């Protein structure tokens, strides 16, 4: 059963309809179509409505949703049926088949392609090269067969004009190993004539409009389809762009399948020969007949690799063997020549199509397979067969197609009944007889030996003398006149919808169909003169030789009369039915919603007719057989156990059957169910819908409960992870800290004995947690190392050291050379070596100032060049004590020219270069600009010394004031 969808989309399974009536069926089908639900189940049968638009229902994500799932676990879909057939084949080693039926334009071809696409997608997970080759050939074969077997009709732009049954072989692992294709009843009469608005087979237009100019020239063809009798009807009904791409796709597909370039060339030549043959005209010249457009004969001879004389002779004459073994040549009349030409054209195309199918089969057939080595070889068959046809003018082809549908419908109902009865028997449920229309009576009307329509038709074809279609109709009236499903105008004169001597009517299960007997005899005989067969067999083209094996027979050789077309078709359908009956069947019933190819229009009457002739209502009745729903106990409990306190969350009973029984009894449904051995059977859909509604009400509560439990579990799990994480982090941090501290101890434990007290020791990279600790440690270490160094400095050098430190603080990075590396003399005027007299004079001046001012020490003294406001310079000297800054005149025994208290000095300015310029700033803005000079050595720089002395002095003074 289908996964329960919202009721706004209707019932996903027709078995669940409240009432099994045509009105309810159509209402549900229309609702689902309008809601975009193109697939609906009837048990395990898929009803597919052509959407006439592209849909996102076949991508890789959708394939994954249906892979390995049961039918009822997902909404209705083609993939569900394909997967069910594949699982039955793989798990139970059982041959299966998928039967796709419906009328032209209902989407059968597309359905078969999607099924093939799904099977290809889910097989060969190990990507074995040979399996991939087989899959590719199977998929590409669709492209080739569509080109040669499909045509545009008034009902369908890509109508399959043949029936196709494809067997796909699988190995024991479920991978495709090969296949085989059977084709049925190609509509070869389309070669000669098409209905207005229709076209011939696609391949002719692909060749004329899509092939290269060089290829057309070699085939003596033009690009105009109207130039050829067989393509004239569809000449204006095409698109050159699409035909070109289609031609290229078909050529590529044939190459992938394994057609050689010579074989592809032969195919094109045969198509061209058919087109030229259709243009051959005959004219009577007295008692003889001649070809009116004789220039076509050499073309035909070249394309068929035959002699022009032999070809012309075959077109105009017929070789006949007399009873005495004599061979005579009989000339054709114009009508006979035209008939022979058309028969040859039809036979050409039919045999070309059959050869293409056979050539594909040789490529995809299972090779070198040994069941003892490779395991059992299982099969999935895919049948894409024409649907029931009722036209304004129904002829021999429609008769055969409708007979095929009758036969398949009979098989379909029988197999469904058999499956249902077997299931009921397995489950121990009493089977209830179901009323349905048994169309065996119609099948017998057509195929019964010696009595059926085919037998009467064959008898008419074998009768000597002049037998016409009208005489065949008279014979049917005489033999079948009392059959309840046969009538004609003669048997029912009041029915003026039929013509006397032409029409007969069969009451099919899908409706009444009126057939015209015109052409029945000719089409059934399917006569082709032996001369054409011998001509083609003797062709130099091996492809043509292969297509006409009977041409090797001598004209005098007595052969068995060939079977008629109707008998051949009947035999092939009987064999097909037997083949399908030996497999486990799955069904896809395709419905065409309207004739306008509109994605919005739902033609109720049109669809009702298809539902009727597809027997879908009978299918629903058989499927229900008194019970609308069935499900294995475990699956049933899995879906509905939350509706019963005894089964939620898990039951404690001995079996699932007991638990299911307790659930149904709690709801009061015990009178509406039956219990099988492994399944529960529910009689009415209302019971199921009640369970669904209760389940829908409980699901949100269960979801909240599950979300709560799951979120709690996730939170607890995350908490455990965090605890574990923090514990690990804690131990790891301890380890890193311990390791780092041990590394520090190891590196710095001997720094006391080092000459530089560990200056060259490299600090290890600390963990992040110890980054600040290491910075603090570095600061402590530097202070310790400075203390160790300072301890070894003599007291007399301490003032110099402090001054240099002060200079470093203010000049580092600002002045490159500030005299750090030399010894600072400070009081340079006391030691003027070159002039002792001046030194004595300075010493006296300092003594005099000391007695007068009472300063404690001289901070700095030096000769300078004083620069005034006019930018003039003169030699002077400066003396800086701990109280004043003095400007002295060296030439006047260092006479004091200016005295500035140090408390008035607000700052100093120096440059970043090597010059010795110094500016003293004062509070009254009467500063002093000097340039230190007369230094020994001359390049000695004292600016840094002066700055360091002054900064050190002021720092001490500030510290003293702070105290």
């Amino acid at each position: 059963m289908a996964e329960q969808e919202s009721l706004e989309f209707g019932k996903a399974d027709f078995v669940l309809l409240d009432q099994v009536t045509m009105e309810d069926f159509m209402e549900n089908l229309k609702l689902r179509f309008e809601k975009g639900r193109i697939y609906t189940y009837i048990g395990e049968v898929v009803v597919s409505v052509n959407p006439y638009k592209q849909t996102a229902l076949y991508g890789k994500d959708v394939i994954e949703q249906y892979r390995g799932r049961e039918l009822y676990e997902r909404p209705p879909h083609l993939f569900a049926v394909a997967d069910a057939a594949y699982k039955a084949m793989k798990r139970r080693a059982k041959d299966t088949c998928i039967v796709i039926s419906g009328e032209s334009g209902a989407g059968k071809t597309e359905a078969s392609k999607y099924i093939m696409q799904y099977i290809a997608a889910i097989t060969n997970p190990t990507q074995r090269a040979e399996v991939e080759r087989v899959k590719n050939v199977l998929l590409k074969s669709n492209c080739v067969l569509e080109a040669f077997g499909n045509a545009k009709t008034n009902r369908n732009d890509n109508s399959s004009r043949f029936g196709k049954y494809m067997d796909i072989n699988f190995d024991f692992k479920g991978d495709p190993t090969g296949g085989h294709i059977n084709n049925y009843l190609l509509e070869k009469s389309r070669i000669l004539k098409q209905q207005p608005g229709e076209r011939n087979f696609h391949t002719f237009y692909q060749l004329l409009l899509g092939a290269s100019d060089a290829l057309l020239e070699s085939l003596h063809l033009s690009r105009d389809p109207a130039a050829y009798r067989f393509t004239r009807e569809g000449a204006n009904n095409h698109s050159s762009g699409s035909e070109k791409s289609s031609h290229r796709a078909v050529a590529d597909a044939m190459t992938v399948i394994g057609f050689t370039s010579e074989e592809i060339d032969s195919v094109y030549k045969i198509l061209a020969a058919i087109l030229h043959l259709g243009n051959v005209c005959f004219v009577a010249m007295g008692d003889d007949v001649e070809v009116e457009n004789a220039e076509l004969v050499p073309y035909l001879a070249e394309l068929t690799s035959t002699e022009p004389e032999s070809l012309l002779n075959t077109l105009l004459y017929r070789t006949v063997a007399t009873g005495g073994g004599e061979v005579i040549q009989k000339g054709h009349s114009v009508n006979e020549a035209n008939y022979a030409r058309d028969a040859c054209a039809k036979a050409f195309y039919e045999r070309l199509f059959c050869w293409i199918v056979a050539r594909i089969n040789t490529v995809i057939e299972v090779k070198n397979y040994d069941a003892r080595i490779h395991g059992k070889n299982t099969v999935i068959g895919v049948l894409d067969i024409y649907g029931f046809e009722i036209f304004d003018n129904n002829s021999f082809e429609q008769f055969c197609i409708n007979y095929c549908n009758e036969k398949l419908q009979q098989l379909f109902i029988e197999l469904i009944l058999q499956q249902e009865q077997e299931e009921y028997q397995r489950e121990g449920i009493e089977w209830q007889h179901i009323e349905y229309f048994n169309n065996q009576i119609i099948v017998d009307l057509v195929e019964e030996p010696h009595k059926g329509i085919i037998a009467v038709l064959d008898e008419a074809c074998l009768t000597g003398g002049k037998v016409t279609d009208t005489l065949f109709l008279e014979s049917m009236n005489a033999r079948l006149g009392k059959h309840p499903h046969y009538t004609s105008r003669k048997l029912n004169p009041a029915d003026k919808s039929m013509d006397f001597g032409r029409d007969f009517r069969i009451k099919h299960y899908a409706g009444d169909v009126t057939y015209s007997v015109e052409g029945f005899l000719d089409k059934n005989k399917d006569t082709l003169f032996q001369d054409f067969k011998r001509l083609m067999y003797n062709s130099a083209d091996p492809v043509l030789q292969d297509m006409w094996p009977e041409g090797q027979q001598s004209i005098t050789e007595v052969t068995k009369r060939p079977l008629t077309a109707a008998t051949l078709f009947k035999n092939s359908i009987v064999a097909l039915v037997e083949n399908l009956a030996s497999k486990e069947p799955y069904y896809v019933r395709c419905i065409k919603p309207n004739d306008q190819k509109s994605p919005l229009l739902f033609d109720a009457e049109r669809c009702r007719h298809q539902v009727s002739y597809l027997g879908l209502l009978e299918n629903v009745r058989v499927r229900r057989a008194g019970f609308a729903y069935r499900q294995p106990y475990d699956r049933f409990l899995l879906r509905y156990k939350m509706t019963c306190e005894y089964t939620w969350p898990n039951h404690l009973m001995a079996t699932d059957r007991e638990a299911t029984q307790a659930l149904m009894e709690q709801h009061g449904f015990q009178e509406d169910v039956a219990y099988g051995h492994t399944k529960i059977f529910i009689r009415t859909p209302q019971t199921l819908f009640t369970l669904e509604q209760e389940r829908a009400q409980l699901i949100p509560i269960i979801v909240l409960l599950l979300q709560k439990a799951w979120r709690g579990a996730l939170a607890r799990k995350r908490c455990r992870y965090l605890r574990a994480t923090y514990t690990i982090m804690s131990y790891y941090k301890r380890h890193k800290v311990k390791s780092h501290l041990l590394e520090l101890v190891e590196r710095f434990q001997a720094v006391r004995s080092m000459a530089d007290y560990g200056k060259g020791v490299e600090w290890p990279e600390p963990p992040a947690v110890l980054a600040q600790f290491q910075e603090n440690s570095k600061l402590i270490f530097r202070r310790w190392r400075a203390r160790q160094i300072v301890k070894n400095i003599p007291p007399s050098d301490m003032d110099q050291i402090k001054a240099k430190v002060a200079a470093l603080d203010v000049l580092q990075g600002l002045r490159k050379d500030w005299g750090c590396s030399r010894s600072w003399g400070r009081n340079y005027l006391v030691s003027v070596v070159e002039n002792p007299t001046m030194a004595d004079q300075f010493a006296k001046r300092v003594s005099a100032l000391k007695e007068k001012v009472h300063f404690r020490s001289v901070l700095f003294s030096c000769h300078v060049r004083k620069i005034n406001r006019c930018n003039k310079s003169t030699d002077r000297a400066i003396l800086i004590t701990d109280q004043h800054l003095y400007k002295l005149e060296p030439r006047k025994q260092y006479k004091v020219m200016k005295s500035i208290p140090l408390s008035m000095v607000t700052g100093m300015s120096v440059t970043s270069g090597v010059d010795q310029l110094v500016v003293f700033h004062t509070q009254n803005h009467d500063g002093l600009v000097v340039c230190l000079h007369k230094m020994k050595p001359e390049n000695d720089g004292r600016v840094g010394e002066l700055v360091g002395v002054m900064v050190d002095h002021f720092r001490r003074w500030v510290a003293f004031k702070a105290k």
Side-chain angles (χ1 to χ4, degrees):
M1 295 300 166
E3 181 186 70
Q4 297 300 317
E5 297 177 316
S6 172
L7 289 179
E8 67 173 304
F9 302 116
K11 307 290 176 57
D13 194 327
F14 285 112
V15 174
L16 300 178
L17 289 174
D18 296 333
Q19 300 293 328
V20 184
T21 63
M22 180 62 78
E23 289 70 23
D24 289 339
F25 190 101
M26 294 301 301
E27 182 180 352
N28 190 63
L29 185 69
K30 179 180 180 182
L31 175 61
R32 290 185 63 78
F33 174 76
E34 292 174 346
K35 294 292 185 179
R37 298 303 195 266
I38 62 173
Y39 297 120
T40 312
Y41 286 142
I42 302 177
E44 295 181 349
V45 176
V46 171
V47 178
S48 170
V49 182
N50 193 338
Y52 285 121
K53 63 180 179 181
Q54 294 294 325
T55 61
L57 294 177
Y58 311 102
K60 291 182 179 180
D61 55 335
V62 180
I63 290 175
E64 289 303 317
Q65 292 176 18
Y66 285 86
R67 184 199 295 263
R69 298 282 188 167
E70 298 296 334
L71 269 172
Y72 43 76
E73 290 185 321
R74 285 286 181 265
H77 202 289
L78 286 174
F79 291 166
V81 171
D83 195 80
Y86 179 75
K87 286 201 301 286
M89 178 275 302
K90 186 176 181 181
R91 294 177 182 176
R92 305 199 299 270
K94 193 174 183 69
D95 290 346
T96 61
C97 64
I98 302 173
V99 180
I100 307 171
S101 59
E103 71 172 52
S104 178
K108 301 186 301 297
T109 301
E110 291 301 309
S112 66
K113 288 195 289 188
Y114 286 131
I115 288 172
M116 294 289 294
Q117 170 192 327
Y118 180 82
I119 293 174
I122 65 174
T123 54
N124 195 28
T126 58
Q127 296 294 304
R128 288 188 293 160
E130 176 60 19
V131 176
E132 285 300 304
R133 183 193 71 82
V134 171
K135 285 165 52 175
N136 204 18
V137 171
L138 289 172
L139 292 175
K140 291 294 184 182
S141 66
N142 283 327
C143 177
V144 176
L145 294 179
E146 279 189 25
F148 288 88
N150 290 24
K152 182 184 184 303
T153 67
N154 291 323
R155 295 187 174 187
N156 185 4
D157 291 343
N158 187 33
S159 176
S160 296
R161 308 316 300 164
F162 71 106
K164 180 180 70 173
Y165 176 76
M166 176 185 288
D167 267 334
I168 308 171
N169 297 81
F170 295 84
D171 60 17
F172 71 98
K173 296 189 296 297
D175 292 331
T177 57
H180 187 83
I181 300 172
N182 289 321
N183 61 289
Y184 301 95
L185 194 65
L186 177 71
E187 188 190 21
K188 57 184 178 182
S189 61
R190 179 169 291 271
I191 290 292
L192 307 180
K193 184 179 180 181
Q194 306 90 43
Q195 296 295 324
E198 297 189 350
R199 299 199 321 176
N200 212 320
F201 293 100
H202 292 326
T203 186
F204 291 110
Y205 304 94
Q206 292 172 1
L207 176 64
L208 293 174
L209 300 171
S212 64
D213 293 336
L215 177 58
L216 291 180
E217 184 178 356
S218 68
L219 300 175
H220 309 291
L221 294 174
S222 68
R223 285 209 182 274
D224 184 12
Y228 305 96
R229 181 167 68 96
F230 291 163
T231 57
R232 193 167 295 149
E233 180 62 41
N236 298 320
N237 198 354
H238 57 77
S239 170
S240 58
S242 63
E243 303 296 355
K244 188 173 185 178
S245 62
S246 298
H247 174 76
R248 185 163 51 249
V250 172
D252 293 342
M254 294 178 75
T255 303
V256 170
I257 290 171
F259 287 81
T260 64
S261 58
E262 292 78 11
E263 289 173 334
I264 296 176
D265 290 341
S266 295
V267 170
Y268 291 148
K269 288 179 180 179
I270 293 171
L271 293 176
I274 293 172
L275 291 174
H276 287 306
L277 188 62
N279 282 4
V280 172
C281 296
F282 300 98
V283 60
M285 302 292 292
D287 293 335
D288 297 328
V289 174
E290 294 183 1
V291 175
E292 185 176 6
N293 41 1
E295 69 277 3
L296 295 179
V297 175
Y299 294 165
L300 286 168
E302 177 187 342
L303 295 172
T304 57
S305 300
T306 57
E307 294 297 328
E309 296 79 5
S310 299
L311 176 62
L312 181 61
N313 196 54
T314 303
L315 290 172
L316 299 178
Y317 299 94
R318 176 187 175 190
T319 303
V320 181
T322 64
E326 182 183 359
V327 177
I328 62 174
Q329 199 173 48
K330 179 183 178 182
H332 287 314
S333 66
V334 172
N335 289 337
E336 290 173 339
N338 287 331
Y339 175 85
R341 174 202 61 201
D342 292 346
C344 181
K346 291 190 296 180
F348 254 133
Y349 195 79
E350 181 186 35
R351 299 202 179 205
L352 172 63
F353 185 78
C354 292
W355 178 85
I356 289 173
V357 173
R359 184 69 180 84
I360 295 174
N361 285 335
T362 61
V363 175
I364 63 176
E365 67 180 354
V366 180
K367 300 176 179 65
N368 303 322
Y369 194 91
D370 188 344
R372 295 171 298 177
I373 300 174
H374 304 103
K376 183 179 178 182
N377 181 10
T378 49
V379 170
I380 293 180
V382 179
L383 176 64
D384 176 6
I385 201 74
Y386 13 62
F388 202 85
E389 292 187 349
I390 304 177
F391 297 144
D392 294 336
N393 182 23
N394 301 289
S395 187
F396 179 77
E397 291 82 7
Q398 284 68 48
F399 170 76
C400 292
I401 287 173
N402 293 342
Y403 157 66
C404 172
N405 277 271
E406 290 282 0
K407 192 76 174 175
L408 290 176
Q409 176 67 11
Q410 178 196 18
L411 172 67
F412 171 61
I413 295 297
E414 287 179 354
L415 289 177
I416 291 293
L417 278 171
Q418 180 182 346
Q419 288 176 341
E420 291 296 304
Q421 290 173 353
E422 289 177 354
E423 182 174 20
Y424 275 54
Q425 186 176 2
R426 283 195 309 268
E427 295 296 325
I429 304 296
E430 181 182 355
W431 172 255
Q432 298 182 6
H433 178 71
I434 303 299
E435 291 294 335
Y436 70 96
F437 175 69
N438 188 341
N439 62 339
Q440 180 64 46
I441 187 174
I442 304 176
V443 173
D444 290 340
L445 169 65
V446 176
E447 71 174 18
E448 187 176 5
H450 311 299
K451 296 180 182 180
I453 294 176
I454 292 179
V456 176
L457 179 60
D458 286 352
E459 182 179 324
C461 292
L462 298 177
T463 302
K466 187 68 173 178
V467 180
T468 64
D469 295 322
T470 303
L471 291 176
F472 160 61
L473 179 60
E474 290 295 330
S475 179
M476 283 198 299
N477 290 336
R479 295 192 185 187
L480 304 173
K482 296 182 180 180
H483 197 285
H485 289 268
Y486 174 87
T487 188
S488 67
R489 181 66 184 275
K490 182 177 181 180
L491 299 175
N492 187 9
D495 188 351
K496 297 183 179 180
S497 62
M498 293 183 288
D499 290 346
F500 279 108
R502 191 192 74 176
D503 296 341
F504 69 95
R505 179 174 297 155
I506 297 178
K507 297 179 180 179
H508 290 280
Y509 76 94
D512 295 351
V513 182
T514 301
Y515 299 97
S516 170
V517 296
E518 292 180 352
F520 259 62
L521 293 179
D522 285 341
K523 291 177 181 179
N524 190 46
K525 291 177 183 178
D526 198 21
T527 304
L528 180 65
F529 297 137
Q530 191 71 16
D531 303 72
F532 283 105
K533 299 176 183 178
R534 285 195 297 274
L535 178 68
M536 293 302 109
Y537 178 75
N538 292 314
S539 167
D541 189 335
V543 173
L544 280 171
Q545 289 181 3
D546 195 29
M547 288 165 50
W548 304 83
E550 66 271 38
Q552 63 181 325
Q553 297 174 350
S554 170
I555 187 63
T556 59
E557 183 177 347
V558 178
T559 59
K560 190 175 181 180
R561 184 184 296 273
L563 296 177
T564 62
T567 299
L568 287 172
F569 181 70
K570 181 192 73 172
N571 293 343
S572 66
I573 294 302
V574 170
L576 172 64
V577 167
E578 291 176 353
N579 187 12
L580 295 177
S582 68
K583 296 177 172 60
E584 182 174 314
Y586 295 85
Y587 297 93
V588 178
R589 302 304 213 185
C590 299
I591 291 179
K592 183 177 183 179
N594 58 77
D595 289 327
Q596 288 72 39
K597 304 169 187 174
S598 168
L600 303 176
L601 179 62
F602 185 88
D603 188 333
E605 285 303 316
R606 193 80 174 78
C607 295
R608 181 189 297 268
H609 172 69
Q610 296 172 74
V611 169
S612 176
Y613 80 67
L614 287 172
L616 299 184
L617 214 56
E618 285 80 3
N619 189 359
V620 176
R621 293 193 180 101
V622 170
R623 179 65 184 177
R624 285 180 66 148
F627 295 96
Y629 180 81
R630 69 202 68 177
Q631 190 72 279
Y633 291 122
D634 57 340
R635 293 281 182 177
F636 183 82
L637 287 174
L638 191 62
R639 185 167 185 84
Y640 300 113
K641 62 181 180 179
M642 71 287 297
T643 65
C644 176
E645 58 182 325
Y646 303 115
T647 57
W648 178 256
N650 292 300
H651 69 84
L652 301 176
M653 301 177 193
T655 64
D656 287 342
R657 173 175 176 170
E658 293 179 15
T660 302
Q661 192 168 352
L663 186 150
M664 299 306 287
E665 288 177 355
Q666 178 174 319
H667 289 85
F669 296 146
Q670 59 270 22
E671 301 299 327
D672 199 42
V673 298
Y675 300 101
H677 298 310
T678 63
K679 293 181 179 180
I680 179 175
F681 289 72
I682 299 178
R683 185 167 284 104
T684 61
Q686 287 77 11
T687 298
L688 185 66
F689 294 146
T690 302
L691 291 174
E692 279 294 324
Q693 290 172 359
E694 188 166 344
R695 178 181 181 272
Q697 294 172 358
L698 292 173
I699 285 297
I701 301 174
I702 296 173
V703 168
L704 288 176
L705 178 63
L706 293 175
Q707 287 178 342
K708 175 183 175 182
W710 179 242
R711 287 169 180 165
L714 288 178
R716 288 188 292 273
K717 183 178 180 181
R718 184 171 179 271
C719 181
R720 289 195 298 271
Y721 282 168
L722 287 176
R723 285 178 180 174
T725 301
Y726 286 136
T727 301
I728 294 171
M729 288 171 60
S730 176
Y731 277 97
Y732 184 71
K733 285 179 180 179
R734 292 178 191 175
H735 166 73
K736 294 293 287 184
V737 169
K738 184 177 180 180
S739 299
H740 183 69
L741 294 177
L742 290 174
E743 179 73 13
L744 285 177
V745 171
E746 182 179 352
R747 293 193 182 192
F748 288 93
Q749 63 182 353
V751 293
R752 291 180 184 276
S753 59
M754 295 180 183
D756 60 354
Y757 295 104
K759 180 180 180 182
V761 176
E762 183 178 356
W763 289 74
E765 185 69 25
V769 70
L770 291 181
Q772 187 60 44
F773 168 78
Q774 180 137 316
E775 291 300 321
N776 295 337
S777 298
K778 287 181 179 180
L779 179 59
I780 294 172
F781 173 74
R782 285 196 295 266
R783 289 181 177 178
W784 173 84
R785 183 172 171 273
R787 184 175 182 81
Q788 295 302 113
I789 295 173
V790 168
K791 282 168 56 178
N792 297 327
I793 298 176
S796 58
D797 293 340
M798 286 305 297
D799 289 341
Q800 182 178 166
I801 293 298
K802 292 180 180 179
K804 286 185 177 181
V805 170
L808 177 65
D809 288 342
V810 297
L811 294 179
Q812 185 176 20
L814 299 177
R815 190 176 177 93
K816 184 176 181 182
D817 185 12
W818 47 273
C820 175
S821 58
R822 66 177 180 81
S823 177
W824 288 359
R826 291 196 176 199
N827 197 358
Y828 292 99
L829 294 182
V830 174
S831 55
V832 183
V833 180
E834 69 277 6
N835 194 340
T837 303
M838 293 182 69
D840 290 342
Q841 291 176 356
F842 176 73
K844 291 179 181 180
R845 179 62 63 186
V846 170
S847 297
L849 288 173
K850 191 171 186 179
E851 290 178 358
K852 183 178 180 181
V853 183
H854 303 291
F855 61 84
R856 289 188 296 274
S857 62
V858 175
L859 301 181
F860 185 83
S861 66
C862 179
H863 284 104
V864 300
R865 295 281 291 179
K866 185 260 180 183
I867 302 172
N868 61 16
R869 289 183 178 86
C870 298
N871 202 22
K872 293 182 179 181
S873 61
T874 54
D875 288 340
R876 294 287 187 270
I878 59 173
L879 169 63
I880 304 175
T881 68
D882 57 359
Q883 295 185 15
H884 291 81
L885 166 61
Y886 298 99
K887 180 174 71 173
L888 308 178
E889 170 59 77
R891 290 174 295 184
K892 295 182 179 180
Q893 299 179 357
Y894 293 98
K895 177 183 177 182
V896 177
M897 300 186 67
K898 187 174 183 180
S899 174
I900 303 174
L902 288 184
S903 60
M904 297 292 292
V905 177
T906 60
M908 300 173 61
S909 295
V910 299
T911 67
S912 60
V914 297
D915 57 77
Q916 300 297 303
L917 183 65
V918 179
V919 178
F920 294 94
H921 302 282
T922 61
Q923 292 180 359
N924 57 8
H925 304 292
D926 186 17
L928 180 63
V929 181
V930 297
C931 183
L932 311 183
H933 79 134
K934 292 185 179 182
M935 296 173 290
K936 298 295 183 179
E938 292 184 358
N939 58 350
D940 192 13
R942 296 175 182 171
V943 170
E945 181 180 351
L946 174 57
V947 171
V949 168
M950 292 295 287
V951 171
D952 180 56
H953 172 73
F954 276 102
R955 283 179 177 176
R956 293 183 185 184
W957 182 76
V958 171
F960 176 76
K961 287 290 187 181
K963 292 181 179 180

